[in-house]
Amino acid sequence: MPKVTLLSHTPNPEKTVAAAAKLCYSSVGVDDLLAGLTDEKTESFVQMLSDIGHESPIEHVSFTFGIEGVSRAFLAQITRHRIASYSVQSQRYVSKAQFEYVIPPEIEEDDEAKSLFLQAMNQAAEYYDKLSAILKEKHTLDFMEQGKPEAEAKKLAAKKAIEDARFVLPNACDTKMVVTMNARSLQNFFRDRCCNRAQWEIRAVAEQMLKLVCDVAPTLFAKAGPPCLRNACPEGKMSCGKLAEVRAHYTALKGNDR
């Protein structure tokens, strides 16, 4: 399973959003924005924004996550969400010898499929190691011919070798990243990726992220999740047909069933 950690977020995120909203709808100056913003008034402002669909004030708060135990296939999906910042473990600078990998659940549950999958992973690891060794030897000689001491040449060669050896690594290869999104971008992310039709890995990450932000900003993310939490499913014939189950699941995930 992926592991998601909330590393940091805007302090008092809901109060920050409420202050931005207050400025939009009153004549108050900046010095007095926070005056009188009790917990009750903060919740009221945030709820009002949600009710009327005024989303720009929620862009003023952001959340930073550490994500690990995910595949490079996941990386290709999450980076399609462009209003975000990503720092990803580099396969160019970090050796992936004996790399870890993510096994899709459907493959995990089938003995024959899993056996083939593990063979493919082991073979990829073997080829990665062999390519790294061949290229390291070649680059070491090149660097020594350029006048580098042997120890330095080997160190430089090892880094250069994995730059090309990584091309045999599979989509299943694990990666780690730090991701920052503002609340509006997160709302969009949850609409797309919490849906049952989203791919299983990114949905698992999205659900963990949603749980984490609900713990620190419950009013702000009260309606976050797949579109069917608020309205009819927009997927038409492609709908999963599990409306009641999905709503119950997200009620429990957000802690609203207590």
Side-chain angles (χ1 to χ4, degrees):
M1 282 292 292
K3 179 183 177 182
V4 182
T5 303
L6 181 59
L7 299 176
S8 64
H9 59 80
T10 303
N12 301 310
E14 295 188 337
K15 186 163 286 189
T16 299
V17 170
K22 182 178 178 181
L23 183 67
C24 292
Y25 295 104
S26 72
S27 60
V28 68
V30 172
D31 291 341
D32 299 318
L33 270 182
L34 296 177
L37 271 183
T38 63
D39 290 345
E40 292 75 16
K41 288 186 177 180
T42 293
E43 183 177 349
S44 178
F45 267 117
V46 175
Q47 182 64 55
M48 177 197 70
L49 295 175
S50 177
D51 291 343
I52 66 177
H54 186 186
E55 296 183 313
S56 62
I58 74 173
E59 295 177 18
H60 294 291
V61 299
S62 62
F63 299 80
T64 298
F65 306 88
I67 303 174
E68 56 188 338
V70 291
S71 68
R72 297 291 289 199
F74 168 85
L75 174 63
Q77 294 188 81
I78 195 170
T79 50
R80 291 171 184 161
H81 294 269
R82 297 179 179 88
I83 305 178
S85 298
Y86 302 96
S87 296
V88 182
Q89 184 185 69
S90 173
Q91 291 181 343
R92 184 181 182 190
Y93 297 108
V94 178
S95 172
K96 299 303 289 185
Q98 302 304 309
F99 62 87
E100 296 184 4
Y101 45 82
V102 176
I103 305 179
E106 293 291 337
I107 294 177
E108 180 74 54
E109 295 170 2
D110 186 291
D111 290 341
E112 183 180 6
K114 184 177 180 180
S115 177
L116 287 172
F117 183 89
L118 294 178
Q119 288 179 43
M121 295 303 102
N122 291 334
Q123 190 174 60
E126 179 183 352
Y127 288 160
Y128 177 85
D129 291 344
K130 287 181 176 179
L131 284 169
S132 296
I134 292 169
L135 293 171
K136 179 182 178 181
E137 182 177 355
K138 174 183 181 296
H139 297 323
T140 297
L141 294 175
D142 290 343
F143 283 124
M144 290 179 67
E145 287 178 0
Q146 296 171 22
K148 302 288 186 185
E150 184 176 357
E152 182 182 357
K154 287 183 176 180
K155 185 176 181 180
L156 292 171
K159 289 294 184 183
K160 189 173 182 180
I162 64 175
E163 181 176 341
D164 289 333
R166 63 180 168 155
F167 276 73
V168 299
L169 294 174
N171 267 341
C173 183
D174 78 307
T175 192
K176 304 174 180 68
M177 66 194 71
V178 172
V179 178
T180 299
M181 295 186 186
N182 69 48
R184 189 176 189 179
S185 185
L186 276 170
Q187 294 276 15
N188 176 73
F189 177 74
F190 294 142
R191 278 194 295 271
D192 289 346
R193 303 303 186 171
C194 288
C195 175
N196 272 350
R197 294 199 61 234
Q199 187 261 358
W200 60 269
E201 188 178 22
I202 198 168
R203 185 172 69 249
V205 170
E207 288 192 351
Q208 290 189 51
M209 291 168 66
L210 178 56
K211 176 66 169 65
L212 290 168
V213 297
C214 282
D215 287 344
V216 297
T219 305
L220 183 57
F221 292 100
K223 296 182 179 178
C228 63
L229 297 188
R230 299 168 300 283
N231 301 296
C233 175
E235 297 293 331
K237 293 181 179 180
M238 302 299 289
S239 173
C240 70
K242 300 178 180 179
L243 180 61
E245 181 181 322
V246 170
R247 289 180 175 177
H249 173 73
Y250 281 97
T251 295
L253 182 144
K254 295 177 183 182
N256 295 333
D257 57 346
R258 293 176 297 194

